[in-house]
Amino acid sequence: MNTFTEFSSDSRVVARPKWRKLLYIHQDYPDNYVDSSFLKLMKRNVNVRPLNYWNVVSESLRVSQQISVEVIFVAMFIHLYMHSWISPVVLIVGSCTVSACLYILWYIMLLRFANSDYNPSDSPVPKTVSSVVLFFTMLLGLTPILKNLTKDISSDSIWFMTIMMLLANLLFHDYGSGSSTHARFPDSLSINAAMFASVLLASRLSSNMSVFGLMLLAVQLFALFPILCRSLREWYHPSTTWDSILTVILIGFAVALMWHISHMSIVLYMVSMILVTFMGPYLLVFAQRYKSEIRGPWDEAVINPGGR
């Protein structure tokens, strides 16, 4: 008993220093030690921006437009392939007329939103006209080559590759309101995929005029039309009104072209439009309530050059 007392009286209980979150000092704690206040610093959904349903619907209209563009192109190919009521001459004249009207609209908007130091001598009209003439000449010269380009490839392979290229166009298309004059990656990949699909389909047509008309339509839909859309989004922000008008016009064209092909295709097309335009945004907004973004002291340090 006395021995135990002496031992107890001679013992010294050394209290461990309090742990501090400092890396440059040595502490009597394991490297992976955390104190009880560690989880108190946890934050949830700090940078999450709540989504508005109608804003998401407005953004989804761009996807609906691109789907409609592809449907219009494929429907026009079917009409040319089946020698229906749409002749190559009607296609060429109609597409050129619509393109000319849209170009005039684009040029008027360009003058309206131009800077005060805009010089009329810098008008893009002469350059555009010369480019159009050069393009028409080159496309007419390449038409016989494009017509016989894939004659040794089976039609099943052509249909499969066309579907894959159109899906790539839909997947890599630039749905943002970026530059209206310069194609950026992956939008350039999207345009190339669409043009490759156009060449594949054009090679299955029976006349040079049909090939020329389909390739001309492909350039107008997949290369020029996105420029107009991005310009409208730059000039009118938010561009909900213009996106809605363009979507309705494209859906009307697509339904009119498919009316003589298959009524079931119209039903499937309209269902896909409803799913993409309305159901997709609803599911996205609904799923956001279950989003849990966790931030805390375990995140990487962020260096602020401003010192704040």
Side-chain angles (χ1 to χ4, degrees):
M1 186 68 180
N2 294 334
T3 305
F4 178 77
T5 304
E6 292 176 359
F7 176 78
S8 301
S9 60
D10 293 339
S11 299
R12 297 291 185 270
V13 178
V14 180
R16 300 176 70 182
K18 185 178 180 181
W19 178 81
R20 294 186 295 171
K21 191 169 61 174
L22 297 175
L23 295 177
Y24 55 86
I25 63 173
H26 177 73
Q27 302 184 75
D28 190 19
Y29 291 91
D31 293 337
N32 60 349
Y33 174 81
V34 292
D35 64 350
S36 58
S37 64
F38 183 73
L39 292 180
K40 294 181 180 179
L41 301 176
M42 183 178 66
K43 299 179 181 179
R44 291 181 180 271
N45 300 333
V46 177
N47 299 322
V48 175
R49 179 173 58 90
L51 297 176
N52 179 270
Y53 173 73
W54 291 110
N55 289 339
V56 181
V57 169
S58 175
E59 296 294 331
S60 68
L61 291 177
R62 305 175 186 182
V63 183
S64 303
Q65 291 173 12
Q66 191 63 21
I67 296 176
S68 300
V69 165
E70 292 190 355
V71 170
I72 291 173
F73 178 76
V74 173
M76 192 64 68
F77 163 76
I78 294 175
H79 281 288
L80 295 176
Y81 186 76
M82 299 175 60
H83 303 283
S84 65
W85 58 278
I86 299 181
S87 64
V89 176
V90 173
L91 172 60
I92 295 173
V93 174
S95 61
C96 290
T97 303
V98 174
S99 297
C101 295
L102 292 179
Y103 178 78
I104 293 174
L105 173 64
W106 176 82
Y107 184 65
I108 293 175
M109 295 298 179
L110 180 64
L111 294 178
R112 179 180 178 182
F113 291 95
N115 297 327
S116 57
D117 57 349
Y118 177 76
N119 189 358
S121 60
D122 298 333
S123 172
V125 174
K127 183 178 179 180
T128 302
V129 173
S130 61
S131 299
V132 169
V133 173
L134 178 62
F135 170 75
F136 266 75
T137 305
M138 292 181 59
L139 188 57
L140 280 173
L142 292 175
T143 295
I145 300 176
L146 297 176
K147 180 176 177 295
N148 300 314
L149 189 62
T150 62
K151 64 179 181 179
D152 296 330
I153 303 177
S154 64
S155 296
D156 293 339
S157 300
I158 294 296
W159 308 144
F160 175 77
M161 288 190 293
T162 300
I163 293 174
M164 292 296 102
M165 292 300 102
L166 291 179
L167 288 177
N169 170 262
L170 191 63
L171 180 63
F172 296 108
H173 182 72
D174 182 16
Y175 296 102
S177 56
S179 175
S180 59
T181 56
H182 298 88
R184 61 183 183 182
F185 186 85
D187 188 45
S188 57
L189 177 61
S190 172
I191 297 175
N192 289 331
M195 297 310 300
F196 181 52
S198 306
V199 171
L200 293 176
L201 293 181
S203 64
R204 283 298 182 263
L205 297 177
S206 57
S207 65
N208 291 336
M209 190 64 68
S210 298
V211 174
F212 175 76
L214 188 66
M215 292 303 301
L216 181 63
L217 179 66
V219 173
Q220 293 167 343
L221 289 179
F222 297 118
L224 301 181
F225 182 70
I227 296 177
L228 173 65
C229 294
R230 286 194 289 266
S231 298
L232 292 176
R233 291 164 192 159
E234 288 180 0
W235 296 332
Y236 295 95
H237 185 75
S239 59
T240 305
T241 302
W242 279 105
D243 282 332
S244 302
I245 294 174
L246 290 176
T247 303
V248 172
I249 293 175
L250 291 174
I251 291 177
F253 268 108
V255 172
L257 290 174
M258 290 189 296
W259 187 263
H260 298 280
I261 298 175
S262 172
H263 290 173
M264 181 56 66
S265 62
I266 297 178
V267 174
L268 295 177
Y269 168 67
M270 294 305 299
V271 170
S272 66
M273 288 294 98
I274 294 174
L275 291 176
V276 171
T277 308
F278 299 104
M279 289 301 299
Y282 173 78
L283 293 176
L284 180 61
V285 174
F286 177 79
Q288 192 188 34
R289 68 181 65 179
Y290 300 103
K291 183 179 180 62
S292 180
E293 182 185 78
I294 299 176
R295 289 187 174 273
W298 52 83
D299 291 333
E300 296 179 356
V302 179
I303 300 177
N304 188 354
R308 296 182 180 179

